Amino acid sequence: MYNEFFNTSQEQFDKMAAPVRKFNNATLDYVSKLVEYQISMFRSYSEISIEQMRALQTVTDPKSLQAYVGAQAEATKSLGEKVAKDANELVELQRGYAEEVQKLSEEGLATVTSIDPAKARKSA
């Protein structure tokens, strides 16, 4: 009698915990990708900044200043394109996570509503 109660309780607990485990795995995967992406972006933007500082050090006369200022227009354009690309990638990463969470929520709700409370009461 008690074995059936404990087995039923364990079965129901496993059914309830499965969606939580899936959600935790999806969240962990998302956070891992997000941190990796942020580190990559930080590295990339740092390299761009260092390149610009090095280029500024080459300014020694009016002619090199003119060349530096002329190159800034291209650098600004490239940076703007990179920021837009990075923003789109970040949005896609977040969208994928949101879709996964939505799917897991629906699966979890279906799992929770499929548990038969009468079965739990009978075994008690």
Side-chain angles (χ1 to χ4, degrees), residues 3-67:
N3 284 340
E4 185 180 338
F5 170 74
F6 288 121
N7 288 339
T8 302
S9 296
Q10 182 65 43
E11 181 183 309
Q12 289 180 346
F13 177 77
D14 289 343
K15 279 186 174 181
M16 295 280 289
V20 174
R21 286 187 193 107
K22 287 180 181 179
F23 174 77
N24 285 342
N25 287 336
T27 300
L28 183 59
D29 185 49
Y30 168 72
V31 169
S32 174
K33 287 178 183 177
L34 183 62
V35 168
E36 191 176 304
Y37 183 74
Q38 289 174 332
I39 289 170
S40 172
M41 282 180 29
F42 179 76
R43 181 176 290 123
S44 178
Y45 289 120
S46 296
E47 289 171 0
I48 291 170
S49 297
I50 291 169
E51 285 176 26
Q52 292 304 306
M53 287 188 273
R54 286 189 176 133
L56 184 59
Q57 285 185 314
T58 64
V59 174
T60 56
D61 57 18
K63 187 175 181 180
S64 61
L65 176 61
Q66 185 178 10

Side-chain angles (χ1 to χ4, degrees), residues 66-107:
Q66 185 178 10
Y68 173 78
V69 171
Q72 290 306 295
E74 182 61 33
T76 302
K77 178 183 173 195
S78 295
L79 183 61
E81 291 170 354
K82 177 161 181 44
V83 168
K85 179 181 171 253
D86 289 343
N88 287 335
E89 289 177 9
L90 187 58
V91 166
E92 285 303 312
L93 181 64
Q94 292 170 334
R95 182 177 293 133
Y97 175 67
E99 289 171 357
E100 181 71 15
V101 167
Q102 178 68 32
K103 183 180 97 173
L104 292 173
S105 297
E106 292 168 1
E107 289 175 7

